[in-house]
């Protein structure tokens, strides 16, 4: 008799768990489609398969992201441009009851991200010759980098609720470099379908070079019939000239000049003098842009650190 009751209890529990899993899958799929539909005026996101699990894990596979409207125009993307992600995994979804049930943090892993790179040229002078002539600089495609294939580890935190998210991301690209990003954002009253309302309060990017900058400098020196030290001197002079025009802090130029002469690690930080909405970021690049963004540069305090730590 006891065995029969146990069998009934186990069967009932399994049925309830199965029903809960079925309901969660259907409910989450509907919410995901609503979210993706809201984004369509800005970016088209197609998900091949989505799985939502009761134990707090989400798996999305075969994702295609196609920027539209403002994004495509802002970054000069070619017609039909699209990036792909083989697998997105959301783990450690932590809920909180502060002000109602909501998500307080999540870890997101993006695997096999394929990001094609359009052949963007330089619309600012990287360096000039002694007579003031602008020296041509190679594009990433000319350096043999037509696309970035990478994995991304992202941590999302909402310490101040949905209005003030924090983002931490890290990635490494073989033979190119490694980057760590930390951002304090503000959504304000922005809707999901209006990502241009996203405001940047503070961002910090640490870049550790693994060969990309040196490859760039060598190619540029060769194309301009210069020695590598002479080219670096020319780049440093241009940095000083642009810094003087933009009234940037001395630490900015000191750190960048050191990085130019011996590419290793550099930390860039954006602390805008006024709230910087994503939709208002200028499309053009000019010497005054760093001051507009509140951009500074410095030497990282220690090797291998993660801004999210």
């Amino acid at each position: 008799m006891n065995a029969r009751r146990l069998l009934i209890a186990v069967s009932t529990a399994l049925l309830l768990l199965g029903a809960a899993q079925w309901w969660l899958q259907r409910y989450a799929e509907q919410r995901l489609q609503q979210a993706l539909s809201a984004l369509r005026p800005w970016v088209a996101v197609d998900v091949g398969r989505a799985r939502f699990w009761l134990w707090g894990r989400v798996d999305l596979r075969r994702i295609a992201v196609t920027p539209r409207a403002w994004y495509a125009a802002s970054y000069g993307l070619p017609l039909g441009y699209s990036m792909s992600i083989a697998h997105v995994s959301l783990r450690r979804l932590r809920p909180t009851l502060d002000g109602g049930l909501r998500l307080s943090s999540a870890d997101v892993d993006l695997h096999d991200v394929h990001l094609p790179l359009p052949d963007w040229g330089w619309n600012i002078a990287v360096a000039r010759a002694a007579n003031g002539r602008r020296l041509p600089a190679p594009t990433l495609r000319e350096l043999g980098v037509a696309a970035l294939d990478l994995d991304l580890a992202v941590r999302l935190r909402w310490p101040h609720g949905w209005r003030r998210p924090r983002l931490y991301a890290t990635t490494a690209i073989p033979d190119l470099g490694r980057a760590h990003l930390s951002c304090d954002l503000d959504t304000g009253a922005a809707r999901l379908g209006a990502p241009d309302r996203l405001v940047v309060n503070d961002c910090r990017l640490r870049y550790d070079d693994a060969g990309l900058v040196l490859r760039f400098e060598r190619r540029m020196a060769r194309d301009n019939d210069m020695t590598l030290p002479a080219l670096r001197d020319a780049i440093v002079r241009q940095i000083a000239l642009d810094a003087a025009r933009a009234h940037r802090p001395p630490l900015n130029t000191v750190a960048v000049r050191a990085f130019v002469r011996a590419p290793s690690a550099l930390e860039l930080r954006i602390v805008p003098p006024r709230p910087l909405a994503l939709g208002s970021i200028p499309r053009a690049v000019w010497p005054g842009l760093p001051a507009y963004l509140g951009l500074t540069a410095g030497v990282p305090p220690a090797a291998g650190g993660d801004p999210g730590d």
Side-chain angles (χ1 to χ4, degrees), residues 38 41 51 67 157 234 249 302:
R51 291 290 182 266
R157 302 288 183 266

Side-chain angles (χ1 to χ4, degrees), residues 96-105 156-167 184-188 198 201:
T96 179
L97 293 176
D98 182 20
L101 183 64
R102 62 175 178 83
L103 192 65
S104 66
S105 64
L156 297 171
R157 302 288 183 266
W158 291 272
H160 308 291
W162 290 101
R163 293 174 62 93
R164 293 288 300 277
R166 288 196 61 84
L167 177 147
D184 180 9
L185 307 172
D186 195 333
T187 61
L198 192 67
N201 292 324

Side-chain angles (χ1 to χ4, degrees), residues 108-268:
V108 186
D109 294 320
L110 295 87
H111 301 282
D112 297 329
V113 179
H114 181 72
L115 183 65
L117 296 177
D119 195 17
W120 286 315
W122 291 86
N123 58 358
I124 61 171
V126 176
R128 295 182 185 275
N131 60 4
R133 178 179 61 85
R134 177 172 168 167
L135 299 176
T139 65
L140 284 173
R141 279 186 171 269
E142 290 172 335
L143 294 176
V145 184
L148 297 180
D149 292 292
L150 51 92
D151 293 338
L152 271 171
V154 180
R155 284 178 288 158
L156 297 171
R157 302 288 183 266
W158 291 272
H160 308 291
W162 290 101
R163 293 174 62 93
R164 293 288 300 277
R166 288 196 61 84
L167 177 147
Y168 309 96
T170 181
T171 187
I173 306 172
D175 303 321
L176 296 182
R178 181 177 178 86
H180 303 277
L181 175 68
S182 169
C183 276
D184 180 9
L185 307 172
D186 195 333
T187 61
R191 297 175 294 106
L192 185 61
D196 62 318
R197 298 278 296 279
L198 192 67
V199 172
V200 177
N201 292 324
D202 184 353
C203 271
R204 182 156 54 104
L205 172 69
R206 175 193 168 122
Y207 174 72
D208 293 274
D209 188 61
L212 177 63
V213 175
L214 183 58
R215 190 191 310 180
F216 171 88
E217 291 177 336
R218 285 175 173 169
R219 174 64 182 268
M220 187 172 177
R222 188 191 74 188
D223 291 349
N224 289 282
D225 296 319
M226 301 174 69
T227 64
L228 186 57
L231 173 68
R232 287 173 170 170
D233 288 342
I235 294 176
V236 166
R237 285 195 299 271
Q238 186 65 39
I239 290 171
L241 178 62
D242 291 341
R245 293 172 178 172
H247 306 290
R248 273 180 273 174
L251 175 61
N252 192 311
T253 56
V254 171
V256 175
R257 283 186 302 213
F259 181 78
V260 169
R261 297 190 188 281
S264 55
L266 185 69
E267 184 176 272
L268 302 176

